[in-house]
């Protein structure tokens, strides 16, 4: 991708665990970043990260489009999630439903805003742990669990929706399938299951994807044999390390 002189990035989900690490990385490379948060109380934190902040609801399509169109970003990064700290089991059923809506409807609104704002590239967070039973390590074209799956069917449908929307959008669309996050701000100090990834490595993958890689899907997880990360290594130059 050819970098523009303006070097502007719209970071949706800037106050999240990945966003808080990603924003300074982008600033260090000379990008002007406008980051979103759902809470006005978090705007000072975004200022401390060296970026401008705006309160935005991804479900308010008109306001979102106006914000992005006014900023005119080169790149839009989608790091929006709605999950409890530490994946608190008592809150997960409701959280999975909220996350599914965010991946489907929220992504639709963000893609539309990115296109309206003239963005040339979009990078979106997805997940690498809803592959169906197939030979490991799973490649990116391996099937996800079916809609009928009792626990993760809705999640997988929402992932398919998010990924299809980003990859088929009229811009360069890259999807990063992250493993289960651990590290600062996630509630987990170390990996709790196969197919995990350190939050700093996840942020690094998004930073690399700003200028590297072709439209498509990339597994970004620890190299534990669950998923293949060959594509991310070759096209993004990414490694699953925390530094």
């Amino acid at each position: 991708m050819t970098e523009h002189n303006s070097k502007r990035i719209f970071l949706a989900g800037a106050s999240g665990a990945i966003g808080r690490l990603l924003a300074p990385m982008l600033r260090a490379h000379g990008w002007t970043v406008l980051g979103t948060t759902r809470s006005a109380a978090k705007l000072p934190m975004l200022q401390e990260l060296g970026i401008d902040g705006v309160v935005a609801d991804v479900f308010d399509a008109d306001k979102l489009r106006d914000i992005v169109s006014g900023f005119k970003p080169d790149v839009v990064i989608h790091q929006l999630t709605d999950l409890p700290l530490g994946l608190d089991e008592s809150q997960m059923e409701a959280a999975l439903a909220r996350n599914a809506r965010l991946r489907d409807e929220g992504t639709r609104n963000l893609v539309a805003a990115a296109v309206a704002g003239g963005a040339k590239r979009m990078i979106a967070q997805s997940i690498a742990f809803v592959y169906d039973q197939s030979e490991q390590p799973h490649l990116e074209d391996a099937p996800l669990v079916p809609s009928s799956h009792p626990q993760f069917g809705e999640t997988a449908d929402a992932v398919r929706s998010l990924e299809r929307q980003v990859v088929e959008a009229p811009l360069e669309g890259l999807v990063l399938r992250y493993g289960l996050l651990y590290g600062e701000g996630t509630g987990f100090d170390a990996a709790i299951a196969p197919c995990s990834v350190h939050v700093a490595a996840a942020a690094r993958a998004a930073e690399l994807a700003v200028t590297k890689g072709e439209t498509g899907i990339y597994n970004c997880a620890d190299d534990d044999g669950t998923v293949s990360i060959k594509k991310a290594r070759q096209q993004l130059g990414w490694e699953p390390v925390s530094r």
Side-chain angles (χ1 to χ4, degrees), residues 210-234:
V210 168
T211 56
K212 298 180 179 181
E214 301 173 349
T215 291
I217 297 170
Y218 298 80
N219 287 329
C220 296
D222 287 344
D223 192 13
D224 63 9
T226 306
V227 300
S228 170
I229 59 173
K230 181 179 180 180
K231 185 177 178 181
R233 278 178 161 147
Q234 290 183 338

Side-chain angles (χ1 to χ4, degrees), residues 36-39 54-65 67 80 101 105-106 109:
T36 74
T37 177
R38 289 173 293 179
S39 169
V54 61
V55 177
D57 181 351
V58 74
F59 298 119
D60 187 342
D62 292 339
K63 181 179 178 182
L64 184 68
R65 185 179 62 249
I67 292 171
L80 295 166
R101 182 189 175 209
E105 182 183 342
N109 293 341

